[in-house]
Amino acid sequence: MSETSTTGGPSTRDRPRLPRGVRTRFDDTRGTWMLLAPERTLKLDAVGAAILAEVDGEKDVDQVIDALAIQFKAPRDQIARDVMAFLGALGDRRMLEMDPPADDPPGERVAEGTGVGP
Amino acid sequence: MNAVVPGMERKDKGARSLPLGLTAELTYRCPLACPYCSNPADLAQRTGEMTTEEWISVIDQAADMGILHFHFTGGEPATRRDLPELVAAARGRDLYTNLITSGVGLTRERVKGLADAGLDHLQLSVQGVDAASADAVGGYKGGFERKMAVAGWVTEEGLPLTVNAVMHRHNLDRLEETITLALSLGARRMEVATVQFHGWAERNRDALMPTRAQVDAATATVRAARERLKGRLVIDYVPGDYYATVPKACMGGWGLKTLTITPEGLALPCHAAQSLPHLSFQSVREVPLRDIWLEGPAFQAYRGQEWMREPCTTCAHRERDFGGCRCQALALAGDAAEADPACSRSPHHGAMVALAGAASTSGVTEWRYRPAVGKS
């Protein structure tokens, strides 16, 4: 099921991606995944690393949740809550962009980099 | 990162952790002459910038010891012709590469070259919201116009842009316009940094010191803008601490997270640390970077808590603010091991507030520009 936020925020059919200048890497020195962004270093726990491993700019949020529910054999509701909280927090920090669904008509696409949600 | 979010670990507090970030001051040369420049006050005596090979050795050593962020700054780092080569070397070691620039000296081709070299992020300074006021601070005619063009080239390349604005008495009343400017330039992030009175700024304290009312208004403006622009523009704010009651956690702790390398290779725990004359600094030309970080006397001097005195020793905040800024303690309390006088528990706090108030109402409008540095 797809949900649409009543506040005009992103829908679960939007496709999350890390914008240029935001990337993950494994930190050998500290033995952990890190998310690197302008002037920021976020240490990712297993959940965060798993979510970002599914964020590829192609899958929509629903598909990311589905993939993780299978991977972790966990209730979808629980996974959905974690994913939405995590992606929302990254979005607030401008570490994540949301592209509209691939089948949306052209012209409704929001220009990259404006930061304004659809 | 304050809130606990699933997927993000809380920060741990390693006593002797390896650094996360390195600031590389490639050169002291700069076309601008900002009166609050953080470079050392004795610039004229400086010579001998490190070579490309020496900087690449620093990059390799930094990557080997677990550094993640590599910041290229100066002076104006774009005055170094080998900048793209150094960016490529850092990116080749998977370091997050950040360029902190005035924009002057960059062209469309050079921005593209840096993006192609793998630059992750560019931070552009602005001195004001229009050419007249901005160029009067930078002391460089045409600087503002060039910066506006540079911002366009950066966003054209798809690079994330941070606008960095140093605020003082002569531009703080235009903070809202400055935030609007950053948005219009396509910045994802902005730094609003109230001037810190070290180096050249200390010499220009009377001309630059904001009033208490300006600092309070700025804090309110930033708070409102952060709420309004959530998800559009991230604002990092360095408040003016002369009217504060708690000191800033300078550098996130001395010798704890970051270090700076000067153009001639000295490793500093903080970019202003050379204002502490009793410290001696080792050079990466002579000592391996890891050894300097772990054992160097300047890094050990104020690492941890053993150096602290009252009121810090028994203060619950010492884990959070580390006693504040050592340079400010020396300048205003007379000893770098004292509590930062920005702290209301410091016996020197009242004198600092009085000094700030007097400076802010001094009526001084002329400042001394930082002089140019010749090519070394």
Side-chain angles (χ1 to χ4, degrees):
Chain A
M1 281 300 292
S2 157
E3 297 169 28
T4 304
S5 161
T6 52
T7 59
S11 125
T12 55
R13 291 196 54 230
D14 287 340
R15 297 171 299 152
R17 66 178 166 82
L18 297 181
R20 184 158 174 182
V22 181
R23 55 192 172 93
T24 56
R25 65 164 276 193
F26 191 77
D27 179 349
D28 293 321
T29 303
R30 297 165 190 87
T32 180
W33 281 94
M34 293 284 194
L35 182 64
L36 303 181
E39 304 287 344
R40 294 286 190 281
T41 307
L42 291 185
K43 189 190 270 193
L44 297 168
D45 65 15
V47 176
I51 295 171
L52 288 183
E54 299 296 333
V55 167
D56 57 8
E58 295 298 324
K59 291 191 198 70
D60 65 24
V61 175
D62 275 331
Q63 291 168 324
V64 169
I65 294 168
D66 290 341
L68 292 166
I70 293 166
Q71 186 185 334
F72 285 94
K73 300 184 176 63
R76 196 179 187 285
D77 286 358
Q78 168 68 42
I79 296 282
R81 268 197 302 277
D82 283 357
V83 168
M84 295 307 279
F86 180 70
L87 297 183
L90 291 185
D92 286 348
R93 293 164 173 78
R94 293 234 51 188
M95 295 181 189
L96 188 86
E97 302 281 331
M98 285 286 196
D99 289 334
D103 52 8
D104 266 15
E108 285 186 24
R109 261 187 106 86
V110 174
E112 184 181 336
T114 62
V116 184
Chain B
M1 286 306 303
N2 295 318
V4 177
V5 174
M8 301 178 196
E9 283 195 4
R10 284 187 213 234
K11 279 179 183 160
D12 54 349
K13 290 177 181 168
R16 180 81 69 88
S17 47
L18 289 163
L20 289 166
L22 185 149
T23 299
E25 295 179 338
L26 297 183
T27 178
Y28 288 131
R29 286 176 282 141
C30 185
L32 302 194
C34 303
Y36 45 72
C37 180
S38 63
N39 285 168
D42 61 344
L43 281 172
Q45 300 165 26
R46 306 289 172 143
T47 54
E49 285 178 15
M50 290 209 288
T51 63
T52 307
E53 292 68 32
E54 285 173 314
W55 277 116
I56 287 174
S57 166
V58 169
I59 288 165
D60 284 333
Q61 293 182 64
D64 289 343
M65 66 192 281
I67 282 171
L68 301 174
H69 280 257
F70 202 93
H71 309 277
F72 293 96
T73 184
E76 173 47 62
T79 59
R80 293 263 314 207
R81 288 184 180 279
D82 56 1
L83 181 60
E85 190 180 340
L86 296 178
V87 167
R91 187 62 199 261
R93 295 297 313 267
D94 213 10
L95 292 166
Y96 190 96
T97 52
N98 177 28
L99 177 64
I100 302 169
T101 178
S102 71
V104 178
L106 288 178
T107 60
R108 188 191 290 263
E109 289 67 35
R110 291 202 78 194
V111 170
K112 183 171 190 316
L114 289 165
D116 292 346
L119 185 67
D120 283 297
H121 171 231
L122 187 143
Q123 187 169 318
L124 181 69
S125 67
V126 298
Q127 282 73 33
V129 295
D130 55 45
S133 65
D135 293 349
V137 173
Y140 185 88
K141 203 166 187 316
F144 180 79
E145 199 179 333
R146 173 52 61 100
K147 287 165 188 287
M148 299 302 103
V150 168
W153 301 329
V154 170
T155 52
E156 265 174 36
E157 289 295 332
L159 284 173
L161 173 70
T162 289
V163 164
N164 179 355
V166 174
M167 307 304 292
H168 45 80
R169 187 161 84 242
H170 302 281
N171 64 6
L172 257 176
D173 294 337
R174 302 180 79 175
L175 177 56
E176 193 74 62
E177 288 170 81
T178 313
I179 294 169
T180 303
L181 175 68
L183 275 174
S184 72
L185 293 176
R188 284 193 213 167
R189 186 174 162 277
M190 179 178 189
E191 288 186 13
V192 175
T194 314
V195 64
Q196 305 279 297
F197 291 97
H198 311 301
W200 292 95
E202 195 180 354
R203 298 179 173 200
N204 287 308
R205 191 163 56 197
D206 285 350
L208 298 174
M209 181 68 74
T211 65
R212 182 187 285 266
Q214 282 182 312
V215 170
D216 290 345
T219 301
T221 299
V222 168
R223 190 179 298 137
R226 275 180 177 160
E227 188 56 37
R228 188 173 73 243
L229 301 171
K230 199 176 206 177
R232 276 184 80 193
L233 184 71
V234 175
I235 304 178
D236 280 359
Y237 178 47
V238 181
D241 68 356
Y242 270 56
Y243 305 108
T245 52
V246 291
K248 285 193 279 290
C250 192
M251 306 308 292
W254 185 275
L256 193 59
K257 291 183 177 163
T258 65
L259 77 164
T260 295
I261 309 290
T262 69
E264 64 268 61
L266 297 179
L268 311 179
C270 151
H271 67 267
Q274 288 178 98
S275 69
L276 302 176
H278 58 289
L279 294 185
S280 61
F281 303 102
Q282 295 169 299
S283 171
V284 292
R285 285 170 153 164
E286 288 152 14
V287 184
L289 187 61
R290 189 186 186 94
D291 294 349
I292 299 179
W293 173 265
L294 289 174
E295 306 296 341
F299 284 84
Q300 294 287 56
Y302 302 109
R303 184 179 263 151
Q305 300 180 2
E306 281 171 25
W307 56 273
M308 285 182 179
R309 300 174 184 171
E310 288 296 350
C312 295
T313 321
T314 55
C315 179
H317 296 294
R318 69 185 186 280
E319 305 278 354
R320 191 164 66 212
D321 62 31
F322 311 100
C325 169
R326 300 303 90 226
C327 300
Q328 194 150 273
L330 176 66
L332 297 172
D335 190 316
E338 291 288 324
D340 183 342
C343 178
S344 60
R345 297 180 190 185
S346 160
H348 302 277
H349 182 67
M352 173 165 161
V353 173
L355 184 148
S360 73
T361 54
S362 65
V364 172
T365 54
E366 299 280 313
W367 49 65
R368 273 179 67 190
Y369 286 104
R370 192 203 102 152
V373 186
K375 188 173 167 66
S376 62

